Amino acid sequence: LISTGGLGPTKDDITKLTFADYFGTKLVLNQQILDDLSERFAQMGRTLNDLNKAQAMVPESAESFTSPVGTAPVTWFTKQGKSIISLPGVPGEMRYLLENLVIPKLKERYTTDQIIHRTLLLAGIPESNLAEMLSVVDDEILAFTNSDARFKLAYLPDLGTIKLRLTGIGSDQKLIEQKISQWEKEIRAAANKYIYGEGSSTLPQAIGDLMRSLNATLCTAESCTGGYLAHLITSVPGSGDYYQGSIVAYANDVKTDALQVSQSTIDTDGAVSESVCGQLVRGALAKFDTTFAIATTGIAGPSGATEGKPAGTVWIGVGTHDQIITRRYNFNRNRADNIHLFAISALDLLRRFAKGLDQA
Amino acid sequence: LISTGGLGPTKDDITKLTFADYFGTKLVLNQQILDDLSERFAQMGRTLNDLNKAQAMVPESAESFTSPVGTAPVTWFTKQGKSIISLPGVPGEMRYLLENLVIPKLKERYTTDQIIHRTLLLAGIPESNLAEMLSVVDDEILAFTNSDARFKLAYLPDLGTIKLRLTGIGSDQKLIEQKISQWEKEIRAAANKYIYGEGSSTLPQAIGDLMRSLNATLCTAESCTGGYLAHLITSVPGSGDYYQGSIVAYANDVKTDALQVSQSTIDTDGAVSESVCGQLVRGALAKFDTTFAIATTGIAGPSGATEGKPAGTVWIGVGTHDQIITRRYNFNRNRADNIHLFAISALDLLRRFAKGLDQA
């Protein structure tokens, strides 16, 4: 139990007295703490007044520790194997003492389990398919029994992405790390194509890292995503280094005027079509002259559905001056979720295309 | 106290028995309920079996009501002025009975206070300035005392917008409505320029309504907002009716090539400048030939600050073919919040410009 605050020199600071009362002990002078305080004050050219001196009065039955970052000492009661610790409430003092005194001492005095996480981030695969793909590893993890190391594989799906968290808990840190590394390797072998990152990174960050590593530039041509794809890309600080811009071609006129989409293709195939999608990629590459371009054209809903193209249908294209690939996806969500899924799918298709994992 | 579930005809349905036991009563046949059930079953060409018939057994000391939407009746105990009501757990049955039986009967049996809300939505003004502007109304609301009608004005700020919620609570519905209408009028008179909507609408929806009412079209040219402004606009279903598209000119080359911004202006004034902002509006109007255009150029941060232009600086311009206005704003937030504040400010400037509330 760690309490903070109420340790100052004024009358409304009652924590020390309350603890002493609760534990049936009294306050006594701690000479070491008084000497430490005197020395510190002397270095600042100050002398202790009575209120400062009173800070060296500490509960007799507790351990007390001088604080190197303030005048209030730390008191530490131990009862029935439990620690009851009183820290000052000033945030800087509290943080310092917690990190440099309390946590190290807790580790000395108690043995606790290690908790080790390894988190892999995936896109472009439904949770159920991923679970199928990882069934062997999953079974290995479930079957593993050891009192010093227990493991769990958690599937944490978000809209369009999945966080796969492998957790090991136990006293045998070496065994935990070894098993986690082994299973991570197996997971990567089974689902490599879908893994875009690890830890707390995001898909737009992964795209940024990829563009930088390839020394490549990027642009977008967006219909149904309406600027959201550009927004995800530019949410990454420094994205201006690789991202040139976007044409948000919400109206068909903009598709034909700004992106050289052929009016006759729109008339024949519709704006939501593989052919228009390919022309949007080509138009964007011509306009921005980047290494890569992404294009989206679809129906975010709720209105706009046509025969054979329900709301949630999208064509996504990615390409370079040399090669363009297009893919059709169907989602069935509300407008906001469809737009998010379109954009995530577009970023993920670019990732796989640029890494040579998905080609024409 | 309203409980749901456990009223079915099977052995694990023990709610009725438990309540009867708790209230020290026994189950008796309710002929009315049995007749109602028989009639309903007969209409479906079915006959009651013993389990169905058992549903007409109800606690003697409770009132019981036939459910028109299921076979389980509602039982209603009254003790010390309190109601203890048992409803079936099937969601559709429960909802129907709550709305059509329980709430009307509760209203008959108890007098409760009316709670009436009026919510106004504002943008473009800091909370403290708004509070100052509304100090007279605020004081009137605070000073008003009446045991049958109590009032509260709550300021609920979000990033760039404020929800102003006027609440009246009490038994005198007429007085509450009259005072709320009076104060709403005073608030509107004092802060009209900043009010973009009411209830649960959003600023992009308000922009949509405004464009439709003016039979106008809209486009955007975005630098620092990186597509987010377009995304907010296109988050509204049917926005394609007035919104044409955006040029996301993240790189300066795109500003000069796609939006006819002058390279020499960029060289002289910098990309984040009033002159470039005005040229972005003009370029967008030329490109998309819409009624209105919005442009943003600024520094979302954390990097990119220059002498006199800290991160969080933005120039926003809105205009028509006849008139363009530009405004400088300074925010001091993280990247995501700055981008949001830039876009909200841009939408709000368009709103005020298009309504003639803010002109050159």
Side-chain angles (χ1 to χ4, degrees), chain A residues 107-125:
Chain A
K107 281 191 175 166
E108 272 170 30
R109 294 178 184 195
Y110 302 90
T111 51
T112 54
D113 278 348
Q114 301 286 326
I115 302 178
I116 298 173
H117 292 299
R118 189 74 43 90
T119 304
L120 298 176
L121 306 167
L122 298 93
I125 184 166

Side-chain angles (χ1 to χ4, degrees), chain B residues 65-118:
Chain B
F65 303 95
T66 305
S67 163
V69 289
T71 55
V74 174
T75 60
W76 189 311
F77 292 91
T78 307
K79 189 159 185 179
Q80 293 170 8
K82 311 277 191 301
S83 290
I84 301 93
I85 303 158
S86 165
L87 294 180
V90 181
E93 292 184 34
M94 186 274 187
R95 193 176 301 123
Y96 179 90
L97 292 165
L98 193 71
E99 288 171 1
N100 294 283
L101 180 91
V102 175
I103 291 177
K105 280 206 185 296
L106 285 174
K107 281 190 176 168
E108 272 171 32
R109 294 178 184 196
Y110 301 90
T111 50
T112 54
D113 278 348
Q114 300 287 325
I115 303 177
I116 298 174
H117 293 299
R118 189 74 43 89

Side-chain angles (χ1 to χ4, degrees), chain A residues 245-259:
Chain A
S246 188
I247 307 282
V248 180
Y250 220 59
N252 283 343
D253 283 358
V254 182
K255 295 184 182 73
T256 54
D257 292 353
L259 289 159

